[in-house]
Amino acid sequence: MKVKLTESFRIRIMLYTCISLLAAVLVDMAVLLFCIRSRILVSDYGLNEKINLHAHSSNYMINNQIHASTKSMLGESDIFYRIFGVGIKVQLIIVLIILALIIFLMVFFLLTHRVMAYMMNILQGACTMADGDFSHRIDVRYHDEFSSIADSINRMADTVEAMKQKEQEAEETKNELITNVAHDLRTPLTSIIGYIDIVNNMPDLSEKQRSEYLKITWEKARKLEKLINELFSFTKISYGGMPMRMEKIDVIKLLEQEADELYPTFKENELECLLETDADSCMIMADGEQLVRVFDNLLGNAIKYGRYGKMIRIRTLTENTQIQIQIVNYGSVIPAENLPFLFEKFYKVDASRQPSSEGTGLGLAIAKSIVESHGGSISVRSSFEGTVFEVVLPTAGAYQNGVVA
């Protein structure tokens, strides 16, 4: 592409040069023709020859006229010679050369004026961007090589501006993460320190109270551990530090195992879990450990927010190249205006479906990142018929050479 643009520019310059030279030559020829027709180039030798010829002529009147004309021309030539020191022919040659140069420069300037003005516009735009104003854009006016240069500079500015935007977002995320970490870790840590202090400094506590306080401390410690794990996971996923160990997994069996492991939790919250699968088996390419985290999070949310609905459904819909997994709870409806933000980092919802300070708000953001890293998608919808989290994953048959077809 660069070679073609360079050759095109060279051809244009050569064309402008040829046109300018042709204009200069035509003007010089016109001036020369005018001088010849005006008898300015009649030399002294030529005039004397004409005098001699006409002296032998029988027409005395014509001879006198030519002689008078010759004297006039010679007289004019002598005047030019005395002033400039050269003959009229040399003078004419010098004038023609100067005139040709002037015409060449004028025509060449007129032909290249637009190009030079556009080059200055590109240069000014580039200088503006170099000063840090990457919002500035150069007009792409034509379809030539300079327009390609302008477009390339604009695209470079777009890239730099996008990088600056990402850097700014990363800085904001970092500050937000620090703020949320400080708040979320401080709450359970304060409780742990407080209850341990009570147990240590109050020896007259009954065994029942001591046991209760230790239980609360243990629960807070587990919550603290969960928060830290979520923060580490989010950091690894955000910066590509979480390795993927892809292998064939039967997702139906994985869902059955998840439902069995969470049975005590369902029973504790007086919930019934129904697993409704349309196939006995469905193989997918996935990292089993990460996929378990996705369904742990979705089922944990379903238990937390759907405990008053008395039931949780796990449904599957298997197709040739993908499987849809729906986790449905019948708790309170999530307002429509909150749905687009559920998978954003640090967005938190409590049992009343309003923002809350409980948890890090990273669970659904982590789930979304894991699902998308598997080539799938995750979505949510909520109505009086239930709140449905739907995960779509490609089946093993959809992969070709390790890539989703």
Side-chain angles (χ1 to χ4, degrees), residues 26-139:
L26 290 176
V27 172
D28 274 6
M29 289 181 64
V31 173
L32 187 61
L33 182 61
F34 171 77
C35 292
I36 293 174
R37 292 179 63 86
S38 301
R39 300 176 60 81
I40 294 176
L41 293 181
V42 177
S43 65
D44 294 348
Y45 175 80
L47 291 172
N48 290 330
E49 288 295 322
K50 291 182 180 181
I51 292 169
N52 292 331
L53 290 173
H54 287 286
H56 294 88
S57 173
S58 58
N59 193 329
Y60 180 75
M61 185 176 292
I62 296 176
N63 186 24
N64 286 338
Q65 291 176 352
I66 295 176
H67 186 68
S69 174
T70 300
K71 280 187 175 183
S72 175
M73 288 295 297
L74 288 173
E76 293 175 3
S77 180
D78 290 341
I79 292 173
F80 277 104
Y81 182 79
R82 286 197 298 270
I83 295 175
F84 298 104
V86 294
I88 192 170
K89 288 184 179 180
V90 177
Q91 297 171 29
L92 186 61
I93 291 172
I94 294 173
V95 170
L96 289 176
I97 292 173
I98 295 174
L99 182 62
L101 182 61
I102 293 172
I103 296 299
F104 174 83
L105 292 175
M106 288 179 61
V107 174
F108 191 80
F109 175 78
L110 291 174
L111 291 174
T112 59
H113 174 70
R114 188 189 72 169
V115 175
M116 296 303 295
Y118 192 36
M119 288 179 63
M120 290 302 299
N121 182 264
I122 293 174
L123 179 60
Q124 291 175 357
C127 291
T128 301
M129 295 177 190
D131 291 336
D133 184 9
F134 293 102
S135 62
H136 180 77
R137 293 295 178 270
I138 303 172
D139 294 336

Side-chain angles (χ1 to χ4, degrees), residues 183-184 187 220 223 226-227 230 304-305 307 346-351 354-362:
H183 180 272
D184 293 331
T187 302
K220 295 295 182 180
K223 180 179 179 181
K226 181 181 179 182
L227 292 176
E230 283 190 353
K304 181 178 180 180
Y305 300 125
R307 66 183 65 183
F346 305 123
Y347 188 80
K348 307 171 189 178
V349 181
D350 64 7
Q354 299 299 325
S356 169
S357 61
E358 182 180 357
T360 61
L362 294 174

Side-chain angles (χ1 to χ4, degrees), residues 234-262:
F234 174 74
T235 303
K236 287 182 178 180
I237 292 173
S238 298
Y239 295 97
M242 184 173 288
M244 299 281 290
R245 293 182 291 273
M246 305 293 282
E247 58 183 346
K248 278 191 175 183
I249 294 175
D250 189 339
V251 69
I252 302 296
K253 302 298 182 185
L254 185 145
L255 291 172
E256 291 175 351
Q257 182 178 348
E258 281 288 297
D260 290 339
E261 291 180 356
L262 289 173

Side-chain angles (χ1 to χ4, degrees), residues 71-347:
K71 280 187 175 183
S72 175
M73 288 295 297
L74 288 173
E76 293 175 3
S77 180
D78 290 341
I79 292 173
F80 277 104
Y81 182 79
R82 286 197 298 270
I83 295 175
F84 298 104
V86 294
I88 192 170
K89 288 184 179 180
V90 177
Q91 297 171 29
L92 186 61
I93 291 172
I94 294 173
V95 170
L96 289 176
I97 292 173
I98 295 174
L99 182 62
L101 182 61
I102 293 172
I103 296 299
F104 174 83
L105 292 175
M106 288 179 61
V107 174
F108 191 80
F109 175 78
L110 291 174
L111 291 174
T112 59
H113 174 70
R114 188 189 72 169
V115 175
M116 296 303 295
Y118 192 36
M119 288 179 63
M120 290 302 299
N121 182 264
I122 293 174
L123 179 60
Q124 291 175 357
C127 291
T128 301
M129 295 177 190
D131 291 336
D133 184 9
F134 293 102
S135 62
H136 180 77
R137 293 295 178 270
I138 303 172
D139 294 336
V140 181
R141 301 176 183 174
Y142 315 112
H143 298 283
D144 55 11
E145 54 276 1
F146 295 106
S147 297
S148 298
I149 293 173
D151 182 63
S152 298
I153 294 176
N154 287 340
R155 286 189 283 109
M156 180 187 68
D158 290 337
T159 302
V160 174
E161 192 172 21
M163 290 174 62
K164 287 185 64 178
Q165 182 67 26
K166 287 183 178 179
E167 183 179 353
Q168 184 178 357
E169 290 176 357
E171 183 68 20
E172 293 175 356
T173 299
K174 182 186 73 174
N175 294 334
E176 189 178 6
L177 179 63
I178 292 172
T179 302
N180 280 274
V181 167
H183 180 272
D184 293 331
L185 297 184
R186 183 176 57 188
T187 302
L189 190 59
T190 301
S191 298
I192 292 172
I193 294 173
Y195 283 110
I196 291 178
D197 186 62
I198 292 174
V199 171
N200 286 336
N201 297 323
M202 297 183 67
D204 56 340
L205 284 175
S206 65
E207 284 299 321
K208 182 178 180 181
Q209 287 178 318
R210 190 181 300 272
S211 176
E212 182 180 352
Y213 290 160
L214 288 175
K215 179 182 179 183
I216 294 174
T217 302
W218 181 82
E219 290 176 350
K220 295 295 182 180
R222 288 298 303 270
K223 180 179 179 181
L224 187 61
E225 180 187 28
K226 181 181 179 182
L227 292 176
I228 293 173
N229 289 335
E230 283 190 353
L231 289 170
F232 273 116
S233 298
F234 174 74
T235 303
K236 287 182 178 180
I237 292 173
S238 298
Y239 295 97
M242 184 173 288
M244 299 281 290
R245 293 182 291 273
M246 305 293 282
E247 58 183 346
K248 278 191 175 183
I249 294 175
D250 189 339
V251 69
I252 302 296
K253 302 298 182 185
L254 185 145
L255 291 172
E256 291 175 351
Q257 182 178 348
E258 281 288 297
D260 290 339
E261 291 180 356
L262 289 173
Y263 176 76
T265 307
F266 290 134
K267 186 175 182 181
E268 180 182 347
N269 288 275
E270 299 180 353
L271 284 167
E272 181 183 2
C273 180
L274 297 180
L275 179 62
E276 303 170 349
T277 61
D278 64 336
D280 295 332
S281 175
C282 180
M283 304 302 295
I284 63 172
M285 295 295 297
D287 184 318
E289 183 178 347
Q290 293 191 27
L291 209 58
V292 165
R293 297 188 62 182
V294 172
F295 294 120
D296 276 345
N297 183 278
L298 295 180
L299 288 170
N301 280 344
I303 293 170
K304 181 178 180 180
Y305 300 125
R307 66 183 65 183
Y308 301 110
K310 302 301 182 182
M311 181 182 294
I312 290 176
R313 293 180 184 273
I314 304 174
R315 296 193 297 238
T316 65
L317 177 61
T318 308
E319 300 178 2
N320 292 332
T321 59
Q322 67 179 26
I323 179 171
Q324 298 177 15
I325 303 162
Q326 297 179 348
I327 296 176
V328 188
N329 73 76
Y330 299 93
S332 57
V333 177
I334 303 176
E337 60 270 19
N338 291 345
L339 291 177
F341 306 105
L342 290 184
F343 297 103
E344 290 187 1
K345 54 186 178 294
F346 305 123
Y347 188 80

